[in-house]
Amino acid sequence: MAKILLIDDDVELTGMLTEYLTQEGFDMVAIHEGEAGKQEALSGSYDLVVLDVMLPGMKGIEVLNRIRLDSQIPVLMLTAKGDDVDRIVGLESGADDYVPKPCTPRELVARIRAILRRLESSQHPDDKIVEGALTLWPKQRKAEWQGQQLDLTSSEFSLLEVLAVNAGAIVGKKELSEKGLGRPLARFDRSIDVHLSSIRQKLGNLPEGRSCILTVRGKGYLFVKV
């Protein structure tokens, strides 16, 4: 049974979501304030955090930033419907995915399960993937670049794994979304672009100065095979 931490100040909403997710087989804990939520998220007791952007006191993005200083626990953000700024800032701060509010409990469950499935499965669960300076251990969700450990979120690891497995070939955004994020590509969804921008920053450039992840306009992305 996966243990989920829900951080949201809307008591009525958290009560409804907690009841629904409990019926779906999750072990739920709800906290209504950012600082307490951050401390609880870092306790090591949870499999995933659902975090509202709009919180009293410490805002959701700040909570996420503080969590990411010490932990790569999957974080699913609840954002205002139509607010692209919150979504992009959340993803850039290390959120694994987002769900716009108001959301249906069914959609939230689907997103949570997609993230948890990525943690439990891999295209190559027992193998080490080596592509140039990149080494991935999918079973341990561990990554190294040029011998140095990479701190990747769950979504970043999954997207990088898909690209590395297909090194030298273009991978479309539709395939990246389905295999890397565990969900169909939504119209106007910029999640993949933001995640890959973060991955590029963490990897740095190849010796000749170019990125190892290329954008192929209108087609997708390519991990440079070296």
Side-chain angles (χ1 to χ4, degrees), residues 6 16 23 35 42 60 82 105-107 153 166 191 193 203 205:
L6 174 59
M16 183 266 290
Q23 292 174 354
E35 176 64 34
L42 294 175
R106 187 174 182 179
E107 179 183 8
T153 68
N166 294 279
S191 300
D193 306 295
L203 294 177
N205 292 327

Side-chain angles (χ1 to χ4, degrees), residues 69-138:
L69 290 175
D70 298 300
S71 173
Q72 292 300 322
I73 184 173
V75 176
L76 177 64
M77 299 291 293
L78 297 177
T79 66
K81 187 174 183 179
D83 195 335
D84 290 336
V85 173
D86 278 347
R87 296 176 190 179
I88 292 172
V89 171
L91 292 170
E92 288 176 339
S93 298
D96 290 271
D97 204 351
Y98 65 84
V99 175
K101 294 172 70 175
C103 65
T104 66
R106 187 174 182 179
E107 179 183 8
L108 182 60
V109 167
R111 294 293 183 93
I112 289 172
R113 285 182 172 154
I115 294 173
L116 295 177
R117 276 197 303 270
R118 296 203 307 268
L119 295 176
E120 295 171 356
S121 64
S122 169
Q123 296 180 38
H124 298 267
D126 301 316
D127 299 330
K128 178 172 69 174
I129 301 170
V130 180
E131 190 54 56
L134 176 69
T135 304
L136 300 174
W137 290 266

Side-chain angles (χ1 to χ4, degrees), residues 2 7 15 18 23 27 30 34 40 44 63-64 82 91 99 101 121 138 143-144 168 174 176 182 210:
I7 308 174
T18 296
Q23 292 174 354
D27 183 3
E40 192 69 14
V63 174
L64 175 60
L91 292 170
V99 175
K101 294 172 70 175
S121 64
E144 287 185 358
K174 181 175 181 290
L176 273 173
R210 64 174 175 164

